[in-house]
Structures are given as structure tokens and as C-alpha cells.
Amino acid sequence: MCILDQLIPKMQFTFAMTWPKIQPMTRTLPCVLMRAGTSRGPFFLRSWLPDDEAARDELLIGAIGASDLLQVDGVGGGSSLTSKVAIVSKSSEPGCDVDYLFAQVGVGQKSVDTRPNCGNMLSGVGPFAIEQGLVEAKDGETTIRVFNVNTRSRIDVTVQTPGGQVTYAGETGIDGVAGTAAPIRLNFLDAWGAVTGSMFPTGHRRDVVNGIEVTCIDAAMPLVIIRAGDLGLSGREAPSVLDADLHLMARIEALRCAAGEAMGLGDVSGSVIPKPVVASEGDSEGSVTSRYFTPRRCHASHAVTGAIGVATAFALPGTVISGPSRSGVRTISVLHPQGRIDVEVAIEGTGEEARIQRAALVRTARKILQGELHIPPYVFSKPIEGDKPMKSLIAPAVAAALIAATPAMAAYPEKVITIVVPTAAGGGNDAMARTIAQKLGPLLGQQIIIDNRAGANGAIASEFVARAPADGHTLMFGYIATHAMNPALQKLRYDPVADFAPIGLVANSPTLMVANATVAVKDVKDLVGQLKAKPDKYTYASAGSGTAPHFAAELFKLNAGVVMLGAPYRGSAPAITDTIGGQTQFMFPSLFTALPYVKSGKLKAMAVAGPKRSPLLPDVPTLKEAGVEGVEVQQWYGFFAPAKTPKAVIDQINKALNQVLADKEIIKRMQDHGADVETSTPERFGELVKSELVKWKAVVQRAKLTAE
């Protein structure tokens, strides 16, 4: 093969014979696939890729196979750890040898994010740069100063080059990787505050976010560090255990989003930074245990940049995980699920004046293959500049007709899909929506982001979606409150029937009566007796007027003949938090929302506000069994689109949604948290909404409920 054939990308243009789509081109380009640290991905010279960023990102999506959750049509491995790309070029930065741009490609989502950095992939940059002729190797070892474009920071990378040649063979082992290889030393020179401009971007080494004490730090990677004990964890849980706890994941995401805003990063709900870390004690004086999130899944091992940040927070006094305070050079071990990463830090000064001068660690890398990478034609929205068409394989008139027809045949979805959740992040609705979105996005072939629009008891979110373009790119995770109870209670600026196109049911969950764990009430009978003796002795929390917890509490008061004050909140998450904290004493959340807190002992289950006991809490009676009849509130959840959304789009989403809900993992997750999966056609879901609206209007009239 001619050397030019290896270095110059090849372009082909063919017409497909399948009506009405055409395949505009196929692209072939050089590629080196490497295992770098505990990550893996393709390495490219910048000159091998298109100059246009949109075309570049489409090419990277095709290279990894991001359109598919398993990534079977690319070199990815179905994980964020194997969906990474390194782009390397000669550096124009003074004193630097090469530029390194890291790209995180989506898993089952057509997305490319160049905001974060990856220290594992960084370990492959030095060997790649030398072998591609960007840097001349020395005999013995070669140190390359790398400029990280993502964070605009410098790292010295030292590679073993005996005889002036890169060697991958060696005796150094790193946890999470089989075998041994040559050591590659990474020395981070100025990664402190590289993204936000300050190592502690909030101005404090400790902050209280959503009632939890955290450390927000920007050291190689923006992190929000949480003590494991504050989340009811040991800190040594396996990643699979953490990922399966939907409420925990939703709570961590809520903390991350709030911390991101406090760090000056704005709305980070669609970003992968800051990364959350759950930390606990290590196995020695110089170690700390860390569970690092990517951010919505727990890392199987640990990111290098994250280890730098965790070690920095451990080394400096005043953070939530500060270890013994010492100046000078010391080694800190960051313990992760696969082993440990040893980070050498140089500390100058003491107390509040202590600063990190540098941090270094050792990684390894291995070249897996080098050759030509073929990119599938379907990932490109238009031909890349410079590509030359080949001779058409079909008649010119037919080709022209196909091309003319293509713009009108735009497939759904064309862009990112937003799911609007009408409650605050961290609650049961939010957790359910995010769980489904993780599976739904890959099936629809597009990234899905969650937009929490809490307030006005779901009316803010409902009005927003009702007025959104009817193209299927803005959806709503609605539930019994937004489309039945609140509209039954008061006149709103949206019609739950006329303004929405039902897509499909998701699940249902009974309502549970819970109490603060320390409240001096034995059972429901005791509570009724105390309230009759002293009205307004206790306060109940609700997710807002017109929500299921509000209706259930008011029905309880009516049918038990008691008086109890109500405290409305902007969603179930803050209401649960204050009930646990004792600011309110009782609540009627869904079983899905309450179960984790009941299991952990933070809340006491009093009764099921439903027709039967829950198999998850077999010893908890129904309210009817406890002596209070007529309080049966079964909560349901489902997806809606704006009215007039094309039926073909509604049917496409419904089909994908029902496929997600048939997933055994999803069914088990829902059941484990107290919800039963329930699917439907759009038509049946629409009929349910209409019947529920009639039902709750009758309840409002009978109970004389008001929105006040």
C-alpha cells in the first residue's frame, strides 16, 4: 500500500437502491486504536479529521458507533469508558509540544462533548505523538509537554523510549487492567481551577447544598465531593449497587446540578461536569475511598483526573474529606472498585494557605491496532467539504428525484429531545423519568435531556410543554397531579386534555402514609386519637396543592374527622427532606418515592393509602384496615407531547417507550422501588386521563377542597 493511501482520507459517494433514502457517502481515514489507562478509544491526528466541527462530531459518532447502545457498528464498547476519542496535533502554545483535545462520545446517543478532560486517554497521547512524528524520541525516556485544549492546562508526559523507539512492554501494572506494560508518568502542572478559574470556585472549601455538606473543587476536573455517610452509604458499595438505587442516583444528580450552578457552571443538567464523587475513609492514613460518577453512572474503576481532584481535596485542610495535613511531597492512594490509584502531590504552605504545586501519577498504555477506519454513511447529515462523488449507480433522473425528495423525508428525531419533569430533581418522578430516558434515547437514536421545571404544582411545566412546538422534541413526564388532580382542583392556563397528545402510560404506584422516624405516634389509631384531642398538633408535607400527597392527606383528614396543618412544597424531594428532618411530621408520598427512606429507617411507614397491602411492606396495613376508609390514591405516570404532534411521531415514541418498559432490568428497578410498570396505547392513555379528571373533580366537590 502506498504511504499516501495511509495518510490521506479516502471518500466515496454512492446512491442506495432502497427507496426513498440515499446513502450520500462513505469515508475512510487513518486511525490508531489504543488502550490508555483504564479507557479505550481511537486516536486521530487533527489533520485526519474535517475542519468543520459539526462534520467532525458526526464522524466521531460514526467511528464509535454511538447511535447504538451496544455500539456494535463502531469501535466503542457500550460504555463511557470505551467511547472516548483523542485528537492530537502539533501545538502552537508556547513551551508545549502537542495539543490534546479529548472528546467524550455518547453511548446510544448521538453526542460529542469536548468540555471535560480524560487523564486515562492522556496516557496514550505521548506514545501516539512520537509514533506519528510530532515529537522526536530520545534514547531512554522522552518527556512531552502536552497542552490540554479542553481545560487549557499543561501536563508533562514521560514515555519509555529505549533506543529512540516507543516501547509498550514493561513490568508496571495498574488496577483495572490485565497484565503489565511500560510506565507512563503524568505530571499535572497547572490543572488547578482550569475550568472555573479557581480551585474552590464557590469561594469555600465546604458548602451546604440541598442540606448536605460538600466540597466543590476544580482540580484537573470540576468535582462535587460528598461524604458517603451523609447519603446513608458505607462508601464501599459496588458500582452496580449504586446504579440500581434510582432514588440515590436522582439525589446525587440533584446535588450535582445545584453544585454546578454554585460553581458558576450554570445549568449543568445537560453537561457531564461537575462530576459527583462519594468518598469515605481509606484503608490507611494516606488513603481515601472514592466512588466516581460519570456523572449518571458509577465508574467501574476511577478517572485519572477525578483521582487528582480527590487526592487534592484529601491533601488540603478544610474540605469534607481532608486527611492529615502535611506540606512537601506525599503519596495519596485513591481506592476505587478495581483497586487504587497512587497520586504524588507536592504541597506548599499549611492551613488555609496550603496550595498544591503539582500532582503526578503513573499509567500505562498499549496500541491495539493501526489502520483504516471506515465510517458508515448514515451518520453524515451532508457531504464533508472536499469529498468527491463517485459515478452514480442509478439513472441520473432517478438520482435527482431521490435527492429532491430527501428534504421532505426528514426523520424524527432531528435534534436533542427534552423531557420536562414537573417536580424538583431528586424526587420519585425525576428518578423514574431519568431511568426511562437512559434507555429511550438509544432507541430513538438521539440524546435526551431532563428539564426539571418545578413550581405551581406542576402548572409551570405543563404550560411550557403545552405551548412547545408540536414536533416531538419536547415531551412531558406527566402524572396524576398534572393531568387530573390539579386541573380538578383549580382553573389553570392549560387544558390537560385539549393541550396534550398522550403518548403512553409508564407505571403506577400506591400512596404510602409515612411519619418522621422519631415522632411519638404508635400507629394510625394513635395518631387519630392525638389529633382529636389536640387539633393541629402535627403538620403534613405535600408536593404542592393539587398533588397526590395533598389529596391523600386531605381525604385522610376528612374521613378520619381530624385537623392537621398542611405545608406545600415544590415537589416531593424537599417535602420528604423536611419530613425526615422533623420540620413536618407526616406525608403521603408514592411508595416509589418513600420506599428507600422507609428501608433505611429515616421514615416510618404508617399505612398504605390504597386497596391492598404492598408486597414490599407486607406488615404495613391499609388505611381501611387501620380504621380510616375512603382514602385510596393510586398514582400513575406517563408521557405526553404537545397537542397536534404528528401521530406518526407519537406512535414512534410509544413503540420505543413500550420497548423500554418491557426491559426486565427496568421492570425490576421499578418493582424494587414500589412501582408497577404499566404500558398502554396513546388512545387508552388518553381515555384514562379523561376518566381520572372526572373522578377527582367529584372528590374535590365532595371534600370541598380548595387550592389554598
Side-chain angles (χ1 to χ4, degrees):
M1 180 181 290
C2 172
I3 188 68
L4 290 177
D5 289 335
Q6 293 179 320
L7 298 180
I8 300 176
K10 299 178 181 179
M11 289 70 71
Q12 299 175 352
F13 185 78
T14 60
F15 284 104
M17 298 301 291
T18 304
W19 183 272
K21 288 188 176 181
I22 61 170
Q23 302 291 11
M25 73 181 165
T26 300
R27 187 181 180 91
T28 305
L29 75 163
C31 171
V32 176
L33 185 66
M34 298 186 72
R35 190 274 299 165
T38 54
S39 297
R40 190 193 73 213
F43 281 64
F44 300 107
L45 286 179
R46 183 68 185 84
S47 59
W48 296 347
L49 302 173
D51 291 329
D52 179 72
E53 286 192 8
R56 178 203 69 190
D57 288 352
E58 287 181 339
L59 189 148
L60 298 183
I61 287 167
I64 292 294
S67 304
D68 170 26
L69 189 63
L70 297 178
Q71 299 178 339
V72 295
D73 205 30
V75 297
S79 163
S80 62
L81 305 185
T82 53
S83 303
K84 302 184 175 190
V85 174
I87 302 170
V88 184
S89 58
K90 199 77 173 171
S91 182
S92 58
E93 288 292 321
C96 295
D97 299 306
V98 297
D99 287 347
Y100 157 53
L101 176 67
F102 167 70
Q104 179 69 65
V105 181
V107 180
Q109 298 178 351
K110 297 176 182 178
S111 64
V112 176
D113 194 347
T114 56
R115 288 167 292 184
N117 182 21
C118 177
N120 275 304
M121 289 293 280
L122 171 65
S123 61
V125 169
F128 177 78
I130 293 172
E131 293 189 330
Q132 296 303 320
L134 299 183
V135 178
E136 185 177 351
K138 298 178 181 178
D139 186 15
E141 63 180 30
T142 304
T143 297
I144 302 162
R145 180 152 293 180
V146 176
F147 178 73
N148 178 232
V149 179
N150 309 75
T151 59
R152 301 197 63 79
S153 59
R154 300 166 303 152
I155 309 99
D156 280 346
V157 178
T158 302
V159 181
Q160 302 304 302
T161 52
Q165 300 290 323
V166 172
T167 181
Y168 295 99
E171 300 303 319
T172 299
I174 60 172
D175 291 328
V177 176
T180 61
I184 298 173
R185 184 177 177 83
L186 309 179
N187 191 4
F188 290 78
L189 303 176
D190 50 7
W192 329 120
V195 176
T196 64
S198 173
M199 183 181 294
F200 296 104
T202 66
H204 309 285
R205 298 193 178 194
R206 296 188 187 208
D207 294 281
V208 176
V209 177
N210 292 356
I212 300 289
E213 195 172 44
V214 303
T215 287
C216 300
I217 188 170
D218 180 3
M221 175 70 71
L223 306 175
V224 52
I225 302 176
I226 313 157
R227 284 186 295 249
D230 290 344
L231 296 175
L233 303 171
S234 69
R236 289 171 171 77
E237 289 84 358
S240 59
V241 172
L242 298 174
D243 289 344
D245 192 331
L246 303 185
H247 290 279
L248 172 69
M249 297 300 290
R251 191 178 182 192
I252 290 174
E253 177 64 9
L255 281 167
R256 187 185 79 86
C257 289
E261 188 171 347
M263 295 168 76
L265 296 170
D267 180 6
V268 300
S269 58
S271 173
V272 297
I273 58 172
K275 299 291 180 69
V277 170
V278 174
S280 57
E281 290 184 357
D283 58 9
S284 65
E285 185 181 73
S287 68
V288 57
T289 299
S290 176
R291 294 295 182 265
Y292 179 88
F293 293 79
T294 63
R296 297 175 183 88
R297 291 184 69 86
C298 185
H299 200 296
S301 54
H302 208 288
V304 166
T305 47
I308 296 286
V310 171
T312 298
F314 183 80
L316 295 177
T319 74
V320 296
I321 58 167
S322 294
S325 181
R326 298 176 190 163
S327 58
V329 178
R330 60 183 297 201
T331 298
I332 295 167
S333 295
V334 177
L335 311 183
H336 58 78
Q338 296 290 330
R340 66 179 62 213
I341 299 175
D342 291 328
V343 182
E344 182 184 277
V345 296
I347 308 159
E348 183 181 45
T350 58
E352 290 296 317
E353 301 302 316
R355 295 291 181 270
I356 300 290
Q357 292 179 310
R358 61 176 176 81
L361 48 79
V362 172
R363 298 275 87 187
T364 65
R366 187 177 77 84
K367 182 163 64 175
I368 298 173
L369 62 85
Q370 179 173 345
E372 291 182 340
L373 184 64
H374 296 257
I375 308 299
Y378 59 78
V379 301
F380 298 109
S381 59
K382 60 183 179 180
I384 296 174
E385 184 179 350
D387 285 342
K388 304 297 183 183
M390 294 179 65
K391 185 177 179 180
S392 174
L393 300 180
I394 58 178
V398 177
L402 289 177
I403 293 171
T406 300
M409 300 298 292
Y412 169 84
E414 298 178 285
K415 57 185 178 180
V416 171
I417 299 169
T418 298
I419 294 178
V420 178
V421 176
T423 55
N429 295 37
D430 180 65
M432 201 179 294
R434 290 181 188 275
T435 299
I436 293 168
Q438 287 178 358
K439 299 276 188 176
L440 186 62
L443 289 178
L444 293 175
Q446 188 56 263
Q447 180 184 7
I448 294 180
I449 62 173
I450 301 297
D451 182 1
N452 295 92
R453 291 180 178 258
N457 312 320
I460 291 175
S462 300
E463 289 172 23
F464 177 81
V465 176
R467 308 295 177 256
D471 59 8
H473 292 97
T474 302
L475 308 178
M476 181 175 182
F477 187 77
Y479 68 122
I480 189 173
T482 56
H483 283 71
M485 288 179 165
N486 202 22
L489 184 67
Q490 57 187 320
K491 185 172 179 58
L492 301 167
R493 291 188 293 180
Y494 70 92
D495 187 305
V497 175
D499 289 340
F500 294 89
I503 295 172
L505 269 169
V506 167
N508 62 72
S509 179
T511 298
L512 188 67
M513 182 183 188
V514 297
N516 173 276
T518 62
V519 71
V521 174
K522 292 186 295 183
D523 51 28
V524 173
K525 183 178 180 180
D526 183 26
L527 171 63
V528 171
Q530 290 190 40
L531 287 173
K532 286 186 174 180
K534 188 177 180 180
D536 288 347
K537 180 178 180 179
Y538 297 116
T539 301
Y540 77 83
S542 77
S545 299
T547 62
H550 171 230
F551 268 74
E554 291 298 319
L555 283 174
F556 170 77
K557 288 164 54 180
L558 177 71
N559 293 332
V562 297
V563 177
M564 187 163 48
L565 296 173
Y569 289 82
R570 293 182 61 179
S572 62
I576 283 276
T577 298
D578 272 12
T579 305
I580 291 172
Q583 288 87 345
T584 55
Q585 292 77 46
F586 294 91
M587 188 179 171
F588 287 79
S590 68
L591 179 61
F592 184 86
T593 298
L595 189 61
Y597 304 104
V598 172
K599 286 185 174 181
S600 66
K602 293 181 179 179
L603 290 174
K604 179 166 55 177
M606 302 285 290
V608 175
K612 61 181 181 180
R613 296 191 182 199
S614 167
L616 296 173
L617 298 171
D619 297 329
V620 178
T622 65
L623 275 171
K624 183 177 181 180
E625 291 174 327
V628 181
E629 297 194 32
V631 188
E632 294 185 2
V633 182
Q634 188 84 351
Q635 302 192 41
W636 50 260
Y637 313 83
F639 281 97
F640 297 87
K644 298 183 180 178
T645 298
K647 188 176 186 306
V649 172
I650 295 294
D651 290 342
Q652 182 179 343
I653 303 171
N654 175 265
K655 180 180 179 181
L657 175 64
N658 289 343
Q659 188 174 338
V660 169
L661 297 174
D663 187 308
K664 292 182 179 179
E665 179 188 356
I666 294 292
I667 294 172
K668 187 176 187 305
R669 282 191 182 188
M670 294 285 200
Q671 289 177 339
D672 287 349
H673 288 79
D676 292 321
V677 166
E678 184 175 357
T679 61
S680 74
T681 62
E683 293 75 20
R684 190 170 77 81
F685 187 30
E687 291 303 315
L688 172 69
V689 171
K690 292 175 184 177
S691 64
E692 284 283 283
L693 195 57
V694 171
K695 170 185 174 181
W696 291 107
K697 280 182 178 179
V699 171
V700 167
Q701 292 176 354
R702 181 170 63 87
K704 298 180 181 179
L705 298 179
T706 68
E708 299 299 325

